[in-house]
Amino acid sequence: MTLGLLLTAAGAMAAEAPKAMKLYVFSSGALNLDKSIIQNGASGKVQIPVGFFLIRHPKGDVLFDCGNNDKIITNPDYWGPFVKALDPGRSLDIAIDAQLSKIDVKPSDIKYVVLGHFHVDHAGNIGKFLDSTFVYQRDEIRNAFWPAPGYATFFISDDFAMLRNSVGGPMPSKYKTIELDGDLDLFGDNSIYIHRSVSHTPGSQIMVVRLPKTGTVVLTSDAVYLQENLDKNILPSIGSVYDPVGMLDAYAWVKRVHDVEGGDIIFAHDPDVYKAHKHSPEFYE
């Protein structure tokens, strides 16, 4: 079956999404950086949101990414020397516990934590969800602990070091894990689909959420930074893309899903797209 037919079939099944599904859009504060980091050839400073997402599904709550580590709120040195360059938000209300509590969700309620990748602004709060099952690509966890030369800057091992099992254990992961080398239909009902994308990092993931009323929503994590990047095939700076060809493939994949199924695309860091969407406690259904 061709990709086009597969996506057509997927779109047809979208109508069967569980009626109780909801998608919440959050932000773990903001980062301030040179736009050239996320869009090659750009200039000037830009403030970007740090998006993460909660999907409420009848079979369990799913978190996609988990933002900046809340330790930076009270410990300005936790991120080390580049924290001043990023100037992250540090107000108490951006703590992930505080945000989830506004919709009556606790970290212990989360069944799955799906990680778009392991960078500081996407995997920061892993340690608060140790009752959950983590879903990531094998290439990504290996790279997170020992990144490729030149790409170590945004991996902070203290964010995820607790995942490693004790010395002598037969399994590398101390906690419940689904370790992938490819795509996954998380609940087997086509409502939450995880797509492997060797692009921004060796094991980046894109999530497709198919809601009963809203329809298809693509959550890109950092496989696509900005709407303009997607529209014009603009890559970020070299330090922000592990595999440039793979990132262009990610753009093409997102465009194909959108062309076949319609729906919406939400980027983790596009300030204009973020502002245009509902934010928790509002939701999409």
Side-chain angles (χ1 to χ4, degrees):
M1 184 180 287
T2 67
L3 177 61
L5 289 174
L6 281 170
L7 290 175
T8 300
M13 288 192 288
E16 300 175 10
K19 293 180 180 180
M21 278 185 71
K22 295 177 181 177
L23 168 66
Y24 293 85
V25 179
F26 294 89
S27 178
S28 184
L31 302 177
N32 294 276
L33 43 76
D34 291 323
K35 192 175 181 182
S36 61
I37 294 173
I38 59 175
Q39 186 180 81
N40 194 33
S43 61
K45 289 282 188 177
V46 63
Q47 184 178 81
I48 61 172
V50 179
F52 68 94
F53 308 87
L54 175 69
I55 302 98
R56 308 218 71 177
H57 188 284
K59 294 183 179 179
D61 292 342
V62 180
L63 196 66
F64 184 55
D65 286 339
C66 55
N68 300 330
N69 194 312
D70 289 341
K71 290 179 181 178
I72 68 170
I73 297 172
T74 55
N75 180 4
D77 297 322
Y78 178 74
W79 274 5
F82 69 87
V83 69
K84 290 182 180 178
L86 294 177
D87 187 23
R90 292 198 183 94
S91 60
L92 292 175
D93 64 330
I94 66 170
I96 199 164
D97 315 67
Q99 294 197 63
L100 292 175
S101 70
K102 293 176 182 178
I103 57 169
D104 296 320
V105 172
K106 303 183 298 294
S108 59
D109 295 331
I110 305 298
K111 184 170 185 177
Y112 294 103
V113 175
V114 182
L115 295 158
H117 59 295
F118 274 77
H119 276 173
V120 57
D121 51 335
H122 294 262
N125 286 309
I126 279 176
K128 295 192 173 186
F129 298 94
L130 299 181
D131 293 328
S132 307
T133 296
F134 297 99
V135 184
Y136 51 72
Q137 299 289 326
R138 177 164 177 75
D139 286 350
E140 186 65 14
I141 189 69
R142 293 174 68 180
N143 184 74
F145 278 105
W146 200 263
Y151 293 92
T153 304
F154 295 106
F155 292 102
I156 294 184
S157 58
D158 282 354
D159 285 347
F160 45 81
M162 76 292 293
L163 297 181
R164 183 68 168 87
N165 207 350
S166 303
V167 174
M171 300 299 288
S173 179
K174 188 174 183 178
Y175 299 98
K176 293 176 288 185
T177 299
I178 298 175
E179 189 175 277
L180 299 174
D181 185 18
D183 293 5
L184 176 68
D185 180 352
L186 186 60
F187 289 116
D189 61 3
N190 205 51
S191 62
I192 298 178
Y193 187 83
I194 301 163
H195 174 64
R196 170 181 169 83
S197 174
V198 182
S199 52
H200 176 60
T201 62
S204 289
Q205 301 186 132
I206 298 168
M207 178 179 283
V208 179
V209 181
R210 297 183 173 101
L211 297 164
K213 295 181 180 179
T214 302
T216 298
V217 180
V218 181
L219 307 176
T220 68
S221 194
D222 284 0
V224 189
Y225 271 114
L226 303 171
Q227 182 70 58
E228 187 177 24
N229 290 15
L230 183 66
D231 293 342
K232 299 179 180 179
N233 287 329
I234 304 172
L235 290 171
S237 68
I238 189 63
S240 299
V241 51
Y242 171 81
D243 186 335
V245 173
M247 197 165 222
L248 292 174
D249 285 344
Y251 291 5
W253 193 87
V254 169
K255 289 175 183 176
R256 284 195 295 269
V257 174
H258 183 264
D259 288 347
V260 171
E261 300 187 31
D264 200 3
I265 304 170
I266 307 179
F267 313 90
H269 296 308
D270 189 311
D272 295 327
V273 172
Y274 180 78
K275 289 175 185 175
H277 282 83
K278 299 176 185 177
H279 306 146
S280 175
E282 293 186 277
F283 55 85
Y284 293 91
E285 58 184 342

